[in-house]
Amino acid sequence: FHTFIAPDRTRKNLFPSHEGLSQFCTAYKPTFAQPQKDKDFQKTLLLVFEEPPLFLALHDLTQAITESHHAPVNCARAIEGLRTMMEPGEPRAKQWASFRHNLNVEESYVRLITDQSVGARHGERTFIHGSLVQEVVERSWMLMNRFLEFRKRANQPLPLAEFPSLAD
């Protein structure tokens, strides 16, 4: 139940959405048509349900869409959560190295996401331009998709041919 059809037949979304993010999704086909027949969707859904920290990271990213003023913090928290899931219990440096290696992403690409949250996490209510928030959200969703692909592929590094390196 996500769309309201008014008497004049106009469609209204009942929840905030960001249609442009679907272009980054390869882990499953983002459609409401027949999700029960989409094996990739079912596999992805199981991954999310079976791993509570993954569910929470995904929740953080959906919150980033619905509450853009919290997006930088939520996106950074989601990506930090994915990092810790990559190598649980290991030192942060090793986790980040593994994260970047397995998902084919450069440090600068991730740093743009994490750096935008620093001020807000420390009580500074500084303005972040909407285009920068948009970039943070898009990069975060791209990384979530890659993490889902990584999980679907039994935690094997993503092939560069399919997932070229993400860099600034």
Side-chain angles (χ1 to χ4, degrees), residues 96-151:
W96 276 125
S98 180
F99 182 85
R100 291 190 307 268
H101 169 75
N102 288 326
L103 304 185
N104 301 327
V105 59
E106 298 296 324
E107 182 178 354
S108 60
Y109 190 88
V110 178
R111 189 170 299 281
L112 180 95
I113 298 166
T114 57
D115 284 356
Q116 299 313 308
S117 74
V118 173
R121 286 186 296 112
H122 295 281
E124 296 173 19
R125 306 294 182 195
T126 55
F127 174 76
I128 301 174
H129 195 275
S131 61
L132 184 53
V133 171
Q134 177 70 21
E135 181 70 18
V136 166
V137 169
E138 288 179 1
R139 286 183 185 208
S140 299
W141 277 98
M142 177 77 78
L143 293 175
M144 173 59 80
N145 180 70
R146 286 189 175 207
F147 187 85
L148 291 171
E149 289 279 7
F150 171 77
R151 282 291 199 248

Side-chain angles (χ1 to χ4, degrees), residues 45-60:
L45 191 60
L46 271 175
L47 287 170
V48 172
F49 284 158
E50 290 173 348
E51 194 168 5
L54 180 54
F55 176 87
L56 292 171
L58 191 57
H59 180 264
D60 281 334

Side-chain angles (χ1 to χ4, degrees), residues 55-89:
F55 176 87
L56 292 171
L58 191 57
H59 180 264
D60 281 334
L61 292 185
T62 58
Q63 287 292 112
I65 295 170
T66 60
E67 299 176 8
S68 61
H69 55 287
H70 293 296
V73 171
N74 286 10
C75 288
R77 183 174 44 237
I79 300 311
E80 293 270 0
L82 299 180
R83 168 192 51 85
T84 62
M85 286 182 271
M86 187 76 68
E87 294 279 348

